Amino acid sequence: MEHDQSPVRLLLSLCAVGFFVNCQPSEPFLTRYLMDDKGLTEDDLDNLVWPMDTYASLALMLPVGLLAEYWSYHYTILLGLLCRMATRLLLLFGRGVGAMRLMQCSYAAAVGTETIAYFALPYIVLMDKPHLFAPATVAVRG
């Protein structure tokens, strides 16, 4: 029983991180905020800001996977959380289209680390315990 403590603690930690990362009450109001408070136009958002998320996600997917594999999945998740903080700071204090494009790149890096490292970590840690794969899947995807 003592040997299963670490996986249980890991899954509980991942559940907590997943909850707080996905609790984004400001998300539906982002376009209005950028237009009203940051002075961006709808054309700026549609043609210059929002596409950066797609391009950055495409560019970062392979490097993030390699980083997670060679550096550490734990540190890659931490880097993703720091990128989420950078996204919020750029939203609050950034000015202009350039800062908002950088904000979208930071957001893409955060989502990329979540997609690659966050969802893979339980299976890597539980590799020798396949009977725990189903609860791990529920914990991180549920």
Side-chain angles (χ1 to χ4, degrees), residues 70-130:
Y70 290 108
W71 189 30
S72 167
Y73 281 82
H74 294 90
Y75 291 134
T76 305
I77 292 171
L78 180 62
L79 179 65
L81 294 173
L82 292 173
C83 286
R84 286 193 182 272
M85 290 301 297
T87 300
R88 289 295 174 196
L89 291 172
L90 284 165
L91 273 172
L92 291 172
F93 303 113
R95 299 270 183 244
V97 173
M100 295 306 111
R101 287 172 61 111
L102 184 61
M103 175 268 303
Q104 283 296 294
C105 290
S106 174
Y107 181 74
V111 171
T113 60
E114 178 182 341
T115 302
I116 292 173
Y118 176 77
F119 292 127
L121 183 62
Y123 305 109
I124 291 166
V125 170
L126 299 173
M127 195 173 295
D128 60 338
K129 296 178 178 66

Side-chain angles (χ1 to χ4, degrees), residues 17-38:
V17 167
F19 173 77
F20 289 114
V21 161
N22 290 309
C23 184
Q24 301 174 357
S26 62
E27 189 97 357
F29 307 103
L30 185 58
T31 300
R32 183 62 42 210
Y33 170 75
L34 292 174
M35 289 173 67
D36 292 348
D37 294 0
K38 297 295 180 177

Side-chain angles (χ1 to χ4, degrees), residues 9-64:
R9 196 171 76 219
L10 170 75
L11 292 178
L12 290 175
S13 298
L14 286 174
C15 285
V17 167
F19 173 77
F20 289 114
V21 161
N22 290 309
C23 184
Q24 301 174 357
S26 62
E27 189 97 357
F29 307 103
L30 185 58
T31 300
R32 183 62 42 210
Y33 170 75
L34 292 174
M35 289 173 67
D36 292 348
D37 294 0
K38 297 295 180 177
L40 300 177
T41 66
E42 190 171 348
D43 190 52
D44 288 339
L45 292 173
D46 290 341
N47 296 319
L48 300 173
V49 176
W50 300 141
M52 288 306 294
D53 177 46
T54 303
Y55 301 140
S57 292
L58 178 65
L60 291 171
M61 202 59 69
L62 182 61
V64 167

